[in-house]
Amino acid sequence: MRVKVKIRCKQCGEKFVLRGKKERGRVETGFKQCLCNNTHEFEVEEDRY
Ligand SMILES: [Zn+2]
């Protein structure tokens, strides 16, 4: 299943919109880290499209 993922960094507020694949309940986007080097403090929202 293809999904659109909105990611917001909780440290600097930067927003990213990525396309990913959802497999076995896990979303794979390839997103690694924010520009501010934050790697895990994110709000993630999924949209099907
Ligand atoms: Zn950030």
Side-chain angles (χ1 to χ4, degrees):
M1 184 195 309
R2 288 186 165 279
V3 293
K4 188 166 75 182
V5 185
K6 291 182 207 164
I7 297 173
R8 192 182 73 82
C9 178
K10 289 183 181 175
Q11 286 189 10
C12 72
E14 187 71 34
K15 290 176 186 168
F16 303 90
V17 178
L18 301 163
R19 288 176 185 185
K21 255 193 295 183
K22 188 163 187 174
E23 287 175 355
R24 300 184 196 96
R26 192 169 168 280
V27 177
E28 187 54 61
T29 60
F31 185 82
K32 296 280 190 283
Q33 65 175 46
C34 181
L35 303 174
C36 69
N37 295 327
N38 169 22
T39 55
H40 57 274
E41 293 291 316
F42 299 104
E43 279 178 18
V44 179
E45 197 181 305
E46 290 172 28
D47 284 331
R48 289 182 194 182
Y49 71 96

